[in-house]
Amino acid sequence: MTLGTRARKREWVAGGDAPGHPASKGGPEAAAAARKLVRVNVPVARPMVHPPVPVFAAVLLVASLLFPYWTITLYAPQYPGGLRASVYLTHVKGDTDEISNLNHYIGMKALDEAAPLERSVAVPTVLLFALGLALSAWVRRFRVLLRLPAIAFPAAVVADIAYWLWRFGHSLDPAAPIRLEPFMPVILGRGEIAQFATVAMFGPGFFLALAAAGLAIYDLVRDRRSSPRAVTAVPRIGGGGR
């Protein structure tokens, strides 16, 4: 569904074309007056608004709270099925106790010690960003500003995950049973921690947030491209020529 509204815009037109102008009375003076330009109000079409796109993007962003944003799986001979941790915006699920116990041997912090502030504000933050997306469908003057937080959100999540991985890998306990040099765990793809092979990937929650950002950008581009074509030509009033 699209919505269009009508407005009025001041344009220069020939005097003879203006409604009620003296040129309509005829004669030499009227002809001279007809050649002068006067300003009149003419109707123009405002750019089209597409409410469903930003609203749908807002729904996707809120739904992302229900799914993990990032997962990591550790493989070792004693764990043939692997140990998996799924990181949501609000909590961590999976084999978190086993992985935290293994982290203890190399002096790495437990998983639930990561991002306490981010997890505590995740829900109100996502709801606020989603509200901005939805409102941008109608508050056109600030639509870019309202959508910008949701557009930047996936990149901010990636940066935050990378920061905590770096922090965990560079704050190893020197008194741990197994000593490792500081390292950066992989954020995407295959890696290795001690005798464990790891596979890290983004989860459905991240891709929903990414889709919301993509829809917000797509709608802005479509709106920008459609705006010049939405402006109607200046109508000729009264049928007079220049």
Side-chain angles (χ1 to χ4, degrees), residues 31 41 91 96 109 204 216 234:
N41 293 326
H91 60 285
T96 56
K109 298 179 184 298
V234 177

Side-chain angles (χ1 to χ4, degrees), residues 80-240:
L83 298 176
R84 171 174 291 189
S86 300
V87 179
Y88 294 68
L89 288 183
T90 55
H91 60 285
V92 182
K93 288 183 65 176
D95 305 311
T96 56
D97 291 339
E98 292 85 348
I99 294 175
S100 294
N101 287 333
L102 294 172
N103 286 351
H104 167 74
Y105 289 104
I106 61 173
M108 183 177 283
K109 298 179 184 298
L111 291 178
D112 57 5
E113 294 185 33
L117 176 62
E118 292 90 327
R119 285 186 277 119
S120 65
V121 301
V123 172
T125 299
V126 168
L127 292 180
L128 184 63
F129 290 175
L131 179 63
L133 273 177
L135 288 178
S136 70
W138 294 278
V139 186
R140 296 185 47 77
R141 184 175 182 181
F142 302 106
R143 64 186 185 281
V144 175
L145 186 62
L146 289 170
R147 297 181 191 188
L148 191 58
I151 291 173
F153 186 63
V157 170
V158 173
D160 194 60
I161 293 174
Y163 165 74
W164 282 102
L165 288 174
W166 178 89
R167 184 167 172 174
F168 271 38
H170 287 76
S171 59
L172 301 177
D173 185 355
I178 300 175
R179 297 290 302 276
L180 295 178
E181 293 295 325
F183 66 100
M184 174 66 181
V186 295
I187 189 172
L188 183 64
R190 296 181 179 275
E192 186 175 333
I193 302 177
Q195 76 273 28
F196 287 89
T198 64
V199 176
M201 62 183 66
F202 295 113
F206 174 79
F207 290 110
L208 285 174
L210 193 64
L215 285 175
I217 295 173
Y218 161 76
D219 194 59
L220 285 175
V221 173
R222 182 178 67 169
D223 193 27
R224 184 179 181 84
R225 288 181 176 178
S226 63
S227 294
R229 292 196 296 270
V231 178
T232 58
V234 177
R236 298 188 65 79
I237 305 172

Side-chain angles (χ1 to χ4, degrees), residues 40-55:
V40 298
N41 293 326
V42 296
V44 296
R46 289 178 177 172
M48 303 298 289
V49 182
H50 309 278
V53 175
V55 172

